[in-house]
Amino acid sequence: MQLKTILNRVQKHRSFVYGPARFVQGARLTIEVEVRARANARVECSGCGRPAPRYDMQPTRRFEFVPLWGIAVFLVYAMRRVSCASCGVRVERVPWATGKHQLTDTYAWFLARWAKRLSWKEVAEVFHTSWEKVFRSVEMAVEWGRAHRDLSGVEAIGIDEIQWQRGHRYLTLVYQIDAGCRRLLWVGQDRKVKTLLGFFRWFGKERSAALGFVCSDMWRPYLKVVAKKASEAIHILDRFHIMAKMNKAIDEVRAKEARDLKAKGYEPVLTNARWLLLKRPENLSAKQEPRLAELLQYNLRSVRAYLLKEDFQFFWNYKSAYWAGAFLDRWCTRSLRSRLDPMKKVARTLRAHRALLLNWFRAKGAFSSGAVEGFNNKAKLTIRKSYGFRTYRAMEIALYHTLGALPEPKLTHRFC
Ligand SMILES: [Zn+2]
């Protein structure tokens, strides 16, 4: 079977034919396949896509195709230029590549698909190509996917912030968290009022008005923007962010107490106890369980903070907002008397956001409540895997690619 036969099977073009294929021995062995235009087929302008008269011909260009048995394959073609009535002199449009790209669209989609399974660096290594080319391929896939995705029927969104790079640089991520459809919708730099306004501007007035539920943490700029731009929606402070805040408070109490104990020369019972206090008891390992039990025997500030947190977990089990509210009030009173400053701070914050907190019970079951936490973990993993992503652009593209559930075009043949 000839290479031509295979190419005609996987990717046939109406106005072009494949010519002979040959080996080329350079630094690496490659295969070149000649492409010719059909004599009487019309030539199209790459600017507007309309047919136009031929102008001249350019030197041959090589377009990288999907490799065969580890050998790089190039389509070789001399582009013609057209003299278009509306665009002037332009290069012709070819069906296998877009713009000035050196990769064929098929190969770019191939690399982008692999980039979902491997890191970009690994994809570049496996297919003997550059990081830059993998990046450009993923970027192309993301741009196509974002332009072609369906944004109708979004009822519930979750807003999350994530730290990236060292120092205090944040990203704002907005997810769709409807029970049937969960995906990343939007990424923005920073976590300011302006950032989230950017999301609503992009999302549009009509779609924003149709939102039923918005989940977020207590970050003031977010609260402000949501109240203004999605005033019809029930705004929920979700469990994940509240418990994260509480864990942060416990960690503060523990760190300070550990330092105090050390200074006073006591037994270092709190050393390596961080995760004992931060994990849910059911998630402890068999080794950690007895250690926690032992730790709880001590009359420590950290233990008191831990018990307050664990007690708060009952809040989420209530069915009625009324009784949950009563529980919340009792819990806050108790925490305010605890003489643990970080916990008192949490109690004051919760009290200030009582109404939004109780919205959790009004919205129960209406959206996928674990979704924000799941996405948060996946986004952090994407960022952590991304040593190569020094720029915001690369980070943004990677997040959309892994979390966006973006559509892909239907190609005649799936290469992977
Ligand atoms: Zn044109």
Side-chain angles (χ1 to χ4, degrees):
M1 196 190 308
Q2 281 195 314
L3 200 49
K4 222 164 102 175
T5 319
I6 304 176
L7 278 166
N8 275 321
R9 174 75 181 239
V10 298
Q11 186 169 296
K12 201 178 164 97
H13 300 297
R14 214 191 311 143
S15 307
F16 300 87
V17 289
Y18 295 108
R22 59 174 178 274
F23 282 120
V24 177
Q25 185 67 61
R28 272 176 58 218
L29 181 66
T30 58
I31 296 172
E32 285 188 352
V33 184
E34 228 176 86
V35 179
R36 290 188 211 126
R38 269 187 213 283
N40 45 11
R42 61 186 202 173
V43 193
E44 288 166 359
C45 162
S46 63
C48 60
R50 281 196 289 266
R54 287 180 51 170
Y55 180 76
D56 65 358
M57 195 181 257
Q58 300 209 303
T60 52
R61 261 176 69 181
R62 284 158 35 112
F63 299 88
E64 196 165 357
F65 196 71
V66 180
L68 200 59
W69 290 300
I71 307 169
V73 176
F74 291 90
L75 305 182
V76 181
Y77 178 68
M79 304 276 271
R80 295 166 291 179
R81 285 200 302 175
V82 296
S83 142
C84 173
S86 40
C87 313
V89 173
R90 279 286 186 111
V91 75
E92 69 174 313
R93 171 142 98 180
V94 291
W96 59 83
T98 331
K100 289 198 157 57
H101 283 271
Q102 294 165 20
L103 305 184
T104 57
D105 292 345
T106 306
Y107 191 38
W109 279 104
F110 175 89
L111 291 176
R113 275 212 196 106
W114 275 103
K116 274 193 182 163
R117 304 180 196 177
L118 305 173
S119 75
W120 296 359
K121 194 166 157 266
E122 284 168 316
V123 175
E125 279 165 12
V126 171
F127 297 105
H128 305 288
T129 182
S130 66
W131 187 93
E132 186 68 21
K133 280 183 185 167
V134 177
F135 167 60
R136 291 284 163 227
S137 303
V138 177
E139 189 181 37
M140 176 279 307
V142 164
E143 272 167 10
W144 194 94
R146 289 191 73 203
H148 290 83
R149 67 184 161 169
D150 177 10
L151 289 172
S152 59
V154 179
E155 278 180 20
I157 59 167
I159 303 163
D160 196 13
E161 60 191 280
I162 277 188
Q163 210 173 348
W164 76 294
Q165 292 194 328
R166 267 172 225 125
H168 288 275
R169 301 190 65 180
Y170 287 89
L171 300 174
T172 295
L173 306 178
V174 183
Y175 307 107
Q176 177 178 6
I177 52 169
D178 286 298
C181 181
R182 286 176 280 172
R183 58 182 166 166
L184 173 67
L185 288 177
W186 189 85
V187 184
Q189 231 166 333
D190 258 320
R191 51 169 184 169
K192 297 179 184 155
V193 164
K194 209 176 86 189
T195 319
L196 197 56
L197 281 176
F199 163 75
F200 282 107
R201 199 177 318 117
W202 166 80
F203 198 52
K205 260 198 188 130
E206 211 169 293
R207 278 194 283 259
S208 305
L211 287 173
F213 304 96
V214 178
C215 253
S216 79
D217 67 357
M218 292 177 278
W219 183 241
R220 193 163 298 135
Y222 291 169
L223 299 183
K224 243 167 98 178
V225 175
V226 170
K228 199 169 151 208
K229 293 290 174 185
S231 50
E232 298 295 307
I234 300 183
H235 188 175
I236 304 136
L237 298 181
D238 68 297
R239 180 177 180 159
F240 161 62
H241 284 116
I242 304 283
M243 295 324 282
K245 209 163 212 82
M246 230 171 260
N247 271 346
K248 220 177 137 198
I250 293 177
D251 213 32
E252 257 175 66
V253 175
R254 184 201 56 83
K256 182 165 185 306
E257 192 168 34
R259 279 196 305 272
D260 290 352
L261 288 178
K262 202 177 165 196
K264 287 178 189 157
Y266 285 113
E267 210 186 326
V269 283
L270 282 171
T271 319
N272 303 324
R274 182 162 187 241
W275 292 107
L276 297 181
L277 297 173
L278 298 188
K279 270 183 168 181
R280 292 300 326 269
E282 62 266 28
N283 295 337
L284 291 176
S285 68
K287 245 186 174 169
Q288 287 171 323
E289 248 176 76
R291 285 184 52 210
L292 176 67
E294 199 203 321
L295 188 64
L296 294 183
Q297 312 260 321
Y298 290 92
N299 182 18
L300 291 169
R301 276 175 285 160
S302 311
V303 168
R304 280 192 288 132
Y306 171 81
L307 293 175
L308 278 173
K309 176 194 75 166
E310 278 309 308
D311 191 34
F312 191 83
Q313 297 286 4
F314 289 106
F315 174 75
W316 308 107
N317 299 337
Y318 277 91
K319 294 250 161 16
S320 106
Y322 178 82
W323 291 111
F327 174 89
L328 178 66
D329 295 340
R330 280 198 310 277
W331 187 90
C332 288
T333 311
R334 232 166 11 105
S335 301
L336 288 169
R337 287 189 194 136
S338 69
R339 279 175 288 138
L340 303 165
D341 285 335
M343 293 310 280
K344 278 160 78 175
K345 205 172 133 207
V346 170
R348 275 195 294 271
T349 318
L350 294 188
R351 211 175 234 185
H353 297 91
R354 190 178 190 273
L356 292 183
L357 259 171
L358 294 177
N359 274 346
W360 166 268
F361 302 94
R362 289 171 61 198
K364 235 178 180 180
F367 61 93
S368 151
S369 58
V372 175
E373 181 170 13
F375 275 125
N376 183 281
N377 289 333
K378 276 188 217 153
K380 276 188 193 147
L381 189 71
T382 306
I383 293 172
R384 210 176 317 135
K385 269 202 328 201
S386 62
Y387 301 112
F389 305 168
R390 293 216 184 79
T391 62
Y392 170 73
R393 177 70 179 155
M395 170 73 58
E396 181 190 27
I397 293 294
L399 287 168
Y400 278 122
H401 193 51
T402 37
L403 306 175
L406 294 171
E408 287 180 9
K410 286 204 172 22
L411 301 169
T412 37
H413 176 78
R414 256 191 103 99
F415 283 85
C416 62

